[in-house]
Amino acid sequence: MMAGARVLSRAGAAARSVAPGLCRGWCSSPGKEPAQQPQVTPMLRHLTYKIKATGPISVAEYMREVLTNPAQLLGIWFVSEWMATGKSPAFQLVELGPGRGTLAEDILRVFSQLGSVLRSCDISVHLVEVSEKLSETQAATLTKEKAPLERHTGAPMYMKGVTKSGLPIYWYRDLRDVPKGYSFYLAHEFFDALPIHKFQKTPQGWREVLIDIDPQASDRLRFVLAPGATAAEAFIQPDEARDHVELSPDAGVVIQELAQRISLKGGAALIADYGHDGTKTDTFRGFCSHRLHDVLTAPGTADLTADVDFSYLRRMAQGRVAALGPLQQQTFLKNMGIDVRLKVLLDKSDEPSLKQQLLQGYDMLMNPKKMGERFNFFALLPHQRLLGTNCQMNTRQSEPSASSVAGFGELTWR
């Protein structure tokens, strides 16, 4: 699971002027005076809901949530981009593969906390989900209990409702069915679960890696090389230097659709996933009960995944939009202000053991040998965004630069 930063602005005074209530939640702890009531922060409400739903959490999990709640990070990222591109009167929040809906719920909670900023913006939520079972779980997480869901069997938009914060929410099986409008797209650990093709370079050229029955044991599977060329080899670059590559045509289709939409209608896409920039080879692996599992043993009992090749995603965008990243988690979180957040927490803590725990949690997130280099962030934006053209108001920003994009440069509030 991705981890993100909670305090996301290096311009503290500016942030307080934008959302004073939210900044208090970031930067302070309940007072120690006996007469003062503990502050019910958004994070406290989030943790209370989480504990009620899943039971008590470990100290390590509590630290990760308080120090680096990912929803705060992602919610602020989208609001920052919305502000930087002219504060459009409306936008769609589109999530691909939203799981149980908890990430979308937390992002919407951030939007509510920034109500003074988003007050005049008409926001709608659009979830791309093929599983009916998961869509029901998402609806239970995100919608009002007393507001009935509308179901449309066989229609592209197969369900709709109203979120707990009063926003319209819709479900689709395919990204292509989502209305084309000014949108912010989120793909969190989405691309690493898409099917891949594997290829091995041989003296005879590229050969696709296939799965066959093991001739020594009819109930076992094994990897083999295709005897000749296969159609999927068309996705391999002529100048590919690696001797083993993994490519996902499905991922390419999604990226092309995102690029077309963003280039025509504006907005941005944020992709957060395990991956590399065209440097790794064999990353196909299985996990069962959070442990590595042979991908060909007991099919159906393990989650299968492969690291995202961000160089392939960039190529599939075909230059229609600007691509930022991939940026390693340690750099992205530093740009989002995790160092400032850590300093605030350390200054507020009087207990040496808590300080040690905070430093250990920070090390887990930022250490290159741990999570610091494993998780990556990648963004698609209109070319005007990096050229400094405000695509909503058609005006020139004072300092056009890619570094003005939150996370990919230091986050600031304007």
Side-chain angles (χ1 to χ4, degrees):
M1 179 179 178
M2 180 208 66
R6 254 195 109 221
V7 166
L8 306 171
S9 177
R10 294 183 183 272
R16 286 190 290 273
S17 67
V18 173
L22 183 59
C23 192
R24 283 196 299 271
W26 291 344
C27 305
S28 65
S29 57
K32 297 182 179 180
E33 296 80 7
Q36 184 174 352
Q37 294 295 323
Q39 183 182 4
V40 182
T41 64
M43 177 55 68
L44 177 58
R45 288 193 293 270
H46 163 74
L47 289 171
T48 301
Y49 176 84
K50 183 181 182 72
I51 292 171
K52 287 181 178 178
T54 63
I57 60 176
S58 68
V59 173
E61 188 170 2
Y62 174 79
M63 288 163 50
R64 282 193 295 268
E65 290 284 351
V66 173
L67 178 62
T68 58
N69 181 272
Q72 300 288 334
L73 165 67
L74 300 181
I76 293 296
W77 193 90
F78 290 123
V79 173
S80 172
E81 277 305 294
W82 172 76
M83 294 174 68
T85 53
K87 300 182 181 179
S88 170
F91 72 78
Q92 300 180 150
L93 176 66
V94 183
E95 184 175 4
L96 309 181
R100 301 179 63 84
T102 52
L103 186 56
E105 181 187 37
D106 289 341
I107 290 173
L108 293 179
R109 184 182 297 113
V110 173
F111 287 179
S112 295
Q113 290 296 318
L114 290 172
S116 60
V117 179
L118 296 166
R119 185 186 305 112
S120 60
C121 187
D122 184 13
I123 303 173
S124 57
V125 183
H126 305 258
L127 305 182
V128 180
E129 178 57 71
V130 297
S131 168
E132 290 189 15
K133 182 177 180 181
L134 277 176
S135 67
E136 294 293 336
T137 301
Q138 294 154 13
T141 300
L142 295 168
T143 63
K144 294 181 178 179
E145 293 182 3
K146 296 182 180 180
L149 291 167
E150 295 184 26
R151 291 175 172 81
H152 305 271
T153 304
M157 186 273 292
Y158 64 87
M159 192 165 68
K160 73 176 182 178
V162 179
T163 70
K164 295 174 182 177
S165 55
L167 303 179
I169 182 170
Y170 309 89
W171 279 263
Y172 311 82
R173 294 180 180 85
D174 195 302
L175 173 60
R176 290 170 291 190
D177 295 326
V178 177
K180 292 184 178 180
Y182 182 79
S183 304
F184 291 110
Y185 301 90
L186 170 63
H188 174 253
E189 292 191 48
F190 170 77
F191 284 94
D192 71 343
L194 295 182
I196 61 165
H197 289 263
K198 292 173 67 67
F199 302 92
Q200 179 69 42
K201 185 179 290 185
T202 73
Q204 292 75 39
W206 287 102
R207 292 293 182 265
E208 184 165 5
V209 178
L210 305 177
I211 297 172
D212 196 4
I213 297 173
D214 190 334
Q216 305 299 321
S218 60
D219 60 345
R220 294 174 60 182
L221 302 173
R222 64 170 184 168
F223 288 115
V224 298
L225 293 180
T230 59
E233 289 179 24
F235 292 96
I236 301 176
Q237 287 292 94
D239 59 350
E240 177 59 63
R242 291 171 288 176
D243 58 8
H244 191 104
V245 295
E246 299 167 330
L247 301 173
S248 172
D250 289 353
V253 171
V254 174
I255 288 294
Q256 289 175 347
E257 178 69 17
L258 290 174
Q260 180 189 48
R261 287 166 170 262
I262 293 171
S263 66
L264 293 176
K265 298 295 184 177
L270 183 63
I271 299 168
D273 227 317
Y274 296 96
H276 57 92
D277 200 14
T279 56
K280 293 186 179 180
T281 55
D282 183 10
T283 70
F284 182 42
R285 58 198 184 278
F287 289 94
C288 185
S289 300
H290 305 289
R291 294 184 178 181
L292 282 172
H293 181 87
D294 188 318
V295 294
L296 298 185
T297 299
T301 63
D303 293 326
L304 302 180
T305 182
D307 284 0
V308 178
D309 186 341
F310 289 105
S311 69
Y312 171 73
L313 300 191
R314 186 186 303 109
R315 189 165 73 248
M316 288 298 100
Q318 299 176 328
R320 301 195 67 166
V321 292
L324 295 183
L327 201 63
Q328 293 174 345
Q329 173 170 284
Q330 59 177 346
T331 304
F332 190 85
L333 295 184
K334 187 177 290 290
N335 289 340
M336 294 299 284
I338 191 173
D339 288 343
V340 175
R341 175 58 177 164
L342 176 65
K343 184 177 186 306
V344 169
L345 292 174
L346 291 174
D347 290 344
K348 293 288 184 180
S349 174
D350 296 327
E351 300 180 14
S353 61
L354 178 57
K355 289 187 176 183
Q356 183 63 27
Q357 290 171 349
L358 289 170
L359 291 170
Q360 289 174 351
Y362 177 89
D363 180 68
M364 177 62 70
L365 296 171
M366 304 294 282
N367 191 322
K369 296 182 179 180
K370 297 177 182 178
M371 289 297 294
E373 292 184 353
R374 293 180 60 193
F375 212 79
N376 291 269
F377 294 85
F378 184 82
L380 301 176
L381 307 101
H383 285 295
Q384 304 97 302
R385 175 72 176 90
L386 300 190
L387 294 173
T389 302
N390 185 322
C391 54
Q392 293 297 318
M393 300 175 63
N394 197 29
T395 60
R396 180 70 61 175
Q397 292 181 359
S398 58
E399 295 182 7
S401 170
S403 65
S404 65
V405 178
F408 299 89
E410 292 188 3
L411 174 64
T412 58
W413 291 91
R414 289 184 177 85

